[in-house]
Every structure is written in C-alpha cells, then in structure tokens.
Amino acid sequence: MDYQQILSEIYREIQPYAKDGKVADYIPALAQVNPDCFGICITTTEGETFTLGQADTRFSIQSITKVFALSMCLSIMGSDLWKRIGKEPSGTAFNSLIQLEVEKGHPRNPFINAGAIVLADILLSHLPSPEEDYIAFIRSISGSRTVDYNRETAVSEREKSYINAAIANLLKYYGNLENDIENVLRFYFLQCSVEMSCTELSRAFLPFADHRSPFSFNGVDLTSSQVKRINAIMQTCGFYDEAGEFSYLVGLPGKSGVGGGIAAIHPRLYSVTVWSPRLNAKGNSIMGMKALELLTTRTQESIF
C-alpha cells in the first residue's frame, strides 16, 4: 500500500473544506491557534511512518488525552472501574449536565467530560505523583521525552470552565468524586493541555493497534483483552455525539479533541493521527474527519 501517495491525494481532495468550521475559541489559548494548519501521520505495525504537512508541529491534544487516562485507570482498577463509569455512547453533548443528573452522577462513558473528570479523580487517588506519573506514561508510550503540559493552556481552560465545574459539583454531590473538586479540575485540565505532534500521537496510539504485542509503559500494564476493549469504547464513544457518523464514514476506532486532533487505529495494521483546528458543531475536526474517511475509502481498509 502506497500510503504516501494516498496522503498526497487525500490532501488535494479535502481542500474545498479548508475554510469550513472554526477553532475552539471558547478556550482562550486555543483561539490563538492558526486555523489553517494541517498535519497527518500514519505509523504502521511494521515500523513504517508516512507524514504530510505539519505532522511534527505540536498542538493541544485536549480530549485525546482521555484514552491515556482510561488506560492508566483500567490498569489500576481493572473491571472495578466500570462501577464508577459506564461504557455506552452518550447521545448528548460531551459536557451535558442534564444527562449526568438524570443518571445520578454515573457518567455514560469515559470520554465525555464527566467520565474523564472521574478518571482524573481516580488517578489523583492512586498515583504517588499524579502530574509526574501521567506525563511520564505519555512520554513512554510516545517514545518522546520532551512531550509536556502547556500550563498556560490549562490555566486558561480553568478560568472559563463553568460547565465543567458544575459537572464536578454534580459528581461530588452524587458521591462519585473522592478528592477536592478544585484539585480534580486542575489535574483534568492539565491532562487536556498536553501538547503532541501528529507523529508523536501516532506512535503513542500504535500499541492500541498492535494489541498482540505486550502493553507495558512506565508501569501501565494492560492485557490484550483490555486493549481491545479500549478500542471498542473508542469506536462507540470516541467522537462525542457524532460517534455513529464517524463509524459510518470512517470505520475505525478513534478519539478526537477540540484542539483539532483525531487519533485512530486500524487493528494490526496502523495508527493514524490528523490535525486541523477548524471544528464542526459537534467539536470534531472537519478536514480531519474527511481525511480519515478518504483514507479508509481509498485503501479499502476499515474494521468492517
């Protein structure tokens, strides 16, 4: 498969969408990002890498970080994790208060904001040094020792996080947060502020694609079965209330972030990351989704 040629063809074909959508300007730090950036990287399980555009430019991974948090929590708690978080698609906005109240503080899945805030709470309770341990895991799985938080972004998110603060308070009210609300929110936004490039993210997601190989990174150990179940949750819940559309158009497990990034995997073949900051109304990258749709169409490779 000539992935490099396919990436070039995809880039030409998605140009009509280049000015559609807008950046996540409700987060002050993300409002400053150049909306016209674009990068993509494919890393195969055979060790090949194919890139195009600004694949080595770091960006705020935002909710893509929830896959890493879920991996750490599943490694720590095993199946007991699901006593605090569900595994079902949300069907509502990623920051819905109504759904959380109706379901009495039990988040629908780990990838909506309520679920990810519970993940942050779990890590605060179990990790000796949460901030250091979390970034050490990401550095290990990505193979990059310079990946780091952007604390300015984290602070800017916390300053405008009225809905997330309400979510945390509801979780606390229903007994699903163990730690101080402010500490949980601070750590949650710090996780979201991690900056990585498409190349680094693609390497970090490769272990989810190659579930036959041992998953062990900086003390985070998962079985092949657990990795496959994380992939299943990415497939059904990874794109907020647009997960069905992504499955229909692309056919790969993945996770998006409002920084404009999307990371996806084809089991036993490759991981792929694309970055384009302009988002649709659901919070997903417009050019990113189109690029991945064309990737699976042109290669005739999806999980279905």
Side-chain angles (χ1 to χ4, degrees), residues 226-281:
Q226 288 173 320
V227 172
K228 287 188 286 185
R229 278 157 173 74
I230 291 173
N231 291 345
I233 295 171
M234 283 198 280
Q235 184 72 54
T236 58
C237 307
F239 293 83
Y240 314 123
D241 48 334
E242 201 172 19
E245 185 77 359
F246 189 81
S247 287
Y248 180 81
L249 294 175
V250 179
L252 298 176
K255 185 70 193 81
S256 61
V258 297
I262 299 175
I265 61 108
H266 190 302
R268 296 188 288 181
L269 281 183
Y270 61 77
S271 61
V272 57
T273 303
V274 60
W275 173 50
S276 178
R278 293 181 186 270
L279 310 178
N280 63 19

Side-chain angles (χ1 to χ4, degrees), residues 19-249:
K19 298 299 180 182
D20 292 353
K22 64 175 186 176
V23 299
D25 54 10
Y26 58 90
I27 298 174
L30 298 187
Q32 308 304 316
V33 175
N34 180 356
D36 299 321
C37 292
F38 181 88
I40 189 168
C41 176
I42 295 174
T43 304
T44 71
T45 55
E46 295 180 349
E48 295 180 294
T49 301
F50 305 90
T51 65
L52 185 145
Q54 293 159 292
D56 293 320
T57 299
R58 287 178 174 165
F59 60 92
S60 184
I61 68 172
Q62 292 294 311
S63 286
I64 298 174
T65 200
K66 295 169 184 176
V67 177
F68 303 133
L70 173 59
S71 301
M72 297 185 80
C73 289
L74 196 56
S75 174
I76 292 167
M77 298 189 67
S79 59
D80 285 344
L81 173 64
W82 308 120
K83 295 176 182 178
R84 295 184 61 180
I85 305 172
K87 302 183 286 290
E88 297 296 329
S90 64
T92 58
F94 58 85
N95 58 358
S96 173
L97 287 165
I98 296 172
Q99 184 177 66
L100 185 62
E101 184 168 19
V102 167
E103 297 177 348
K104 300 188 184 304
H106 192 266
R108 185 68 67 91
N109 65 67
F111 294 153
I112 57 174
N113 288 15
I117 290 171
V118 172
L119 294 179
D121 181 62
I122 291 168
L123 294 178
L124 280 177
S125 294
H126 288 86
L127 296 179
S129 303
E131 291 186 18
E132 293 80 4
D133 294 341
Y134 190 78
I135 201 67
F137 168 59
I138 295 179
R139 288 169 177 168
S140 176
I141 198 171
S142 67
S144 176
R145 286 185 276 181
T146 60
V147 168
D148 210 345
Y149 304 112
N150 184 321
R151 295 180 185 273
E152 181 181 344
T153 299
V155 169
S156 78
E157 290 193 61
R158 179 64 189 99
E159 289 174 349
K160 301 291 184 179
S161 63
Y162 310 117
I163 293 179
N164 284 310
I167 288 171
N169 276 277
L170 268 178
L171 290 167
K172 192 73 168 180
Y173 174 78
Y174 285 109
N176 205 2
L177 279 191
E178 297 176 351
N179 295 280
D180 175 76
I181 289 173
E182 185 58 37
N183 290 340
V184 175
L185 286 173
R186 188 181 298 113
F187 185 44
Y188 168 66
F189 289 123
L190 197 61
Q191 293 174 40
C192 292
S193 79
V194 171
E195 293 184 333
M196 301 175 73
S197 68
C198 289
T199 303
E200 290 165 335
L201 261 178
S202 187
R203 287 200 303 265
F205 269 71
L206 192 62
F208 299 98
D210 191 14
H211 58 76
R212 297 166 300 181
S213 299
F215 189 109
S216 182
F217 299 91
N218 204 66
V220 178
D221 301 301
L222 297 173
T223 66
S224 175
S225 177
Q226 288 173 320
V227 172
K228 287 188 286 185
R229 278 157 173 74
I230 291 173
N231 291 345
I233 295 171
M234 283 198 280
Q235 184 72 54
T236 58
C237 307
F239 293 83
Y240 314 123
D241 48 334
E242 201 172 19
E245 185 77 359
F246 189 81
S247 287
Y248 180 81
L249 294 175

